[in-house]
Amino acid sequence: MVETPSLINKDSLTIKSRVNIPEGYKRVAYPKGSFEDYLRHYKLKPFGSKIINYDDSEYFWQGGHIGVLEVPVPKNGLQQCADALIGIRSEYLWDNNRKDEIGFNFTSGHYCSWRKYAEGYRPKINGSKVSFHKTANADHSKDNFYKYLNLIYMYSGTLSLFNELESVKAKDLKIGDMLIKGGSPGHIVILCDEVVNDNGEKLFLLFQGNTPAQSVHLVKNLEDAFITPWYQLEDDAVVPVSNYTFNSAKFVRFK
C-alpha cells in the first residue's frame, strides 16, 4: 500500500495555509477584499479541534473534517447548515460596507432585508402569508443585526436558497458558490478555495455547517485519498461530503 502524502499543514490557522496545493495545480487568483478572498483566508481553530454542537456537546462523529472555522455557534440552535453560510455571507457584506445587499427570502418566498429590519419593520406571519409592518424603533446596531440573522435562520433554509439563488454550471464554479439540495432535510456546502491545472481542471475545498447547529468545518474528501481534502466537482454528480451524500443537487451563487 502506497502512503499518500498529506496535503495538510497542521500548524496553520487559515483555510489557505491549512491545505497545500496538489502537484500540477496552482491557486486561482481573486482580488483582495473579494468574497472569494475572504473565504480563502477564513480563520481556523488549531488543528484537531472538535466539532461542537450548539449545546456544548461533542458531535457524534469527528472523522470527516480537517479544520474548524472561527465561527460562533449561537446557543439557541438556530444556526444550521444553510444558516451558517447565510451568516458568513452577511458578515462579509457588513464588514465591507455593503449592508444594503443583506437580504434573503423566507421559505414562503417573501424577501426580508436587513435595511428594512433596521428601520423597524417586522414580519407578521400567518401560515404562508407574510406582511411587514413598522413595529419597532430604527436600530442599525450590530446587536440588532444578529437579531435579524436569527429571524432569517428561523424562516429561511436550504429550500429557500435552492429556490431563490441563481444556478451555476460546474464549468463556471468559483469560490463562494454552493452545492445545495433543498428540502427537509436538505443540505448545503460552500466552495472556499480553488486550484486549477494546465488542462483547466479545477479542484475545490468545501466547508459546511450542519444540523444540529454546530461548529462550521472544513471537510475531508472521504472518496479520494490522493487529493483529499480537495474535491473535483461535476454537474449531476453524486458527491459524498462527510455525513451527507448529495444527489439531485445543484450549484448556486449568492446574489
Side-chain angles (χ1 to χ4, degrees), residues 222-234:
L222 299 172
E223 296 288 302
D224 192 333
F226 287 95
I227 62 170
T228 187
W230 297 95
Y231 279 79
Q232 188 171 16
L233 298 174
E234 300 173 355

Side-chain angles (χ1 to χ4, degrees), residues 141-168:
S141 69
K142 195 70 178 283
D143 283 345
N144 201 40
F145 169 65
Y146 288 123
K147 291 178 183 177
Y148 162 79
L149 286 180
N150 278 330
L151 176 70
I152 296 297
Y153 297 164
M154 189 175 298
Y155 292 110
S156 303
T158 56
L159 191 56
S160 60
L161 291 181
F162 187 89
N163 292 328
E164 173 186 0
L165 299 182
E166 170 192 358
S167 296
V168 181

Side-chain angles (χ1 to χ4, degrees), residues 89-253:
R89 173 66 174 175
S90 298
E91 291 271 12
Y92 167 77
L93 294 174
W94 179 282
D95 290 345
N96 285 272
N97 200 27
R98 293 168 58 184
K99 299 182 182 71
D100 283 353
E101 297 177 45
I102 300 171
F104 302 91
N105 285 1
F106 292 162
T107 301
S108 64
H110 297 84
Y111 181 72
C112 182
S113 72
W114 157 246
R115 182 173 62 84
K116 297 298 286 185
Y117 187 93
E119 291 172 358
Y121 288 86
R122 299 292 183 269
K124 181 179 180 181
I125 298 171
N126 184 7
S128 62
K129 295 182 179 180
V130 180
S131 55
F132 290 86
H133 307 271
K134 184 169 171 54
T135 59
N137 293 327
D139 182 353
H140 294 81
S141 69
K142 195 70 178 283
D143 283 345
N144 201 40
F145 169 65
Y146 288 123
K147 291 178 183 177
Y148 162 79
L149 286 180
N150 278 330
L151 176 70
I152 296 297
Y153 297 164
M154 189 175 298
Y155 292 110
S156 303
T158 56
L159 191 56
S160 60
L161 291 181
F162 187 89
N163 292 328
E164 173 186 0
L165 299 182
E166 170 192 358
S167 296
V168 181
K169 292 294 185 183
K171 65 181 179 62
D172 299 319
L173 286 173
K174 63 179 184 177
I175 297 175
D177 292 339
M178 295 160 285
L179 176 61
I180 185 170
K181 175 67 180 271
S184 301
H187 196 48
I188 188 169
V189 295
I190 193 166
L191 285 55
C192 59
D193 204 355
E194 178 184 0
V195 294
V196 64
N197 64 17
D198 290 340
N199 296 324
E201 298 165 331
K202 292 184 176 182
L203 300 175
F204 297 92
L205 297 180
L206 311 174
F207 71 67
Q208 65 176 11
N210 205 358
T211 305
Q214 61 187 225
S215 309
V216 181
H217 50 279
L218 192 61
V219 297
K220 293 179 181 176
N221 182 341
L222 299 172
E223 296 288 302
D224 192 333
F226 287 95
I227 62 170
T228 187
W230 297 95
Y231 279 79
Q232 188 171 16
L233 298 174
E234 300 173 355
D235 291 317
D236 303 317
V238 175
V239 182
V241 178
S242 185
N243 54 349
Y244 187 88
T245 298
F246 285 95
N247 51 60
S248 302
K250 68 177 181 179
F251 299 106
V252 295
R253 179 172 296 166

Side-chain angles (χ1 to χ4, degrees), residues 77-88:
L78 291 177
Q79 187 179 283
Q80 300 180 2
C81 61
D83 310 317
L85 306 190
I86 285 171
I88 287 170

